[in-house]
Amino acid sequence: MAHQPCGLAQRRVEVRADAAATLPLNGLTAWQSPDALGLRHGATLLVTGAVELAALRGLRAEWFVARDAPDLAAAERAVVPGGVAGALDAAGVGLPALAAVRNAGAFVAVAADAPVGLRGIRSANHWIAADGTALAQLSALAAAGRLTLRVAGALPLGHAQEAHHRVAVGGLRGRLVLTL
């Protein structure tokens, strides 16, 4: 399904090189993964990670539940009784995110193995595919200031081991970028 950026503004913003480096992996993952859920326009969506692109595509990802909530499913169901139509797990939350999905909903994992679908929930992993057209659209969104590119930090290439450790510990808001 081809996607058109929603109402690109004429203004241009400067995108830092380290932020632009996150666009192929983060942007294409967030752009392509909602398709794997098969949700209709206006459906409720739990996203454990980037949410801007889901909202730009007409999915309702408008409530915030803290990542460290003691019971993610209960917190989500408090704002969406009956559960969300789908969950896009970009943070490797797994079963707690699956539990927030209503019966016969959809769950897609992009950062870890998807749990077995329970209660008729379709559960799958999604791996991004090269897509130059979508990447150009994402670049236009970033240049127009409509897409936030999050960088948790930039480290010299020699600090790759530290970067791997920080990713394994979790809790990063954005990507780590290795520089030369």
Side-chain angles (χ1 to χ4, degrees), residues 33 36-37 39 45-46 48 85-90 92-102 104-110 112-118 121-126:
S33 297
L37 289 165
L39 301 178
L45 175 67
L46 167 65
T48 65
L88 176 56
D89 187 7
V93 173
L95 284 174
L98 181 75
V101 178
R102 69 177 170 222
F107 180 96
V108 169
V110 296
D113 289 333
V116 173
L118 307 170
I121 297 171
R122 289 180 293 108
S123 182
N125 284 89
H126 177 72

Side-chain angles (χ1 to χ4, degrees), residues 159-179:
H159 292 169
Q161 184 175 3
E162 176 187 343
H164 281 283
H165 174 73
R166 287 180 61 189
V167 168
V169 168
L172 296 173
R173 283 196 50 109
R175 287 285 180 211
L176 292 175
V177 177
L178 297 175
T179 61

Side-chain angles (χ1 to χ4, degrees), residues 7-13 15 138-147:
L8 289 178
Q10 294 297 336
R11 75 180 181 96
R12 306 279 292 172
V13 297
V15 177
L138 291 166
S139 296
L141 285 168
R146 303 267 324 270
L147 179 61

Side-chain angles (χ1 to χ4, degrees), residues 12-136:
R12 306 279 292 172
V13 297
E14 184 173 331
V15 177
R16 296 185 341 252
D18 61 345
T22 69
L23 195 55
L25 179 61
N26 290 1
L28 286 176
T29 298
W31 191 254
Q32 295 172 358
S33 297
D35 290 339
L37 289 165
L39 301 178
R40 290 179 282 151
H41 185 84
T44 54
L45 175 67
L46 167 65
V47 179
T48 65
V51 69
E52 282 179 317
L53 288 173
L56 283 172
R57 294 184 49 197
L59 296 171
R60 293 180 63 204
E62 58 200 54
W63 303 279
F64 174 78
V65 174
R67 177 185 184 141
D68 59 355
D71 186 341
L72 175 65
E76 185 66 34
R77 287 174 182 266
V79 293
V80 183
V84 294
L88 176 56
D89 187 7
V93 173
L95 284 174
L98 181 75
V101 178
R102 69 177 170 222
N103 292 349
F107 180 96
V108 169
V110 296
D113 289 333
V116 173
L118 307 170
R119 299 177 285 108
I121 297 171
R122 289 180 293 108
S123 182
N125 284 89
H126 177 72
W127 307 106
I128 66 167
D131 185 341
T133 301
L135 193 53

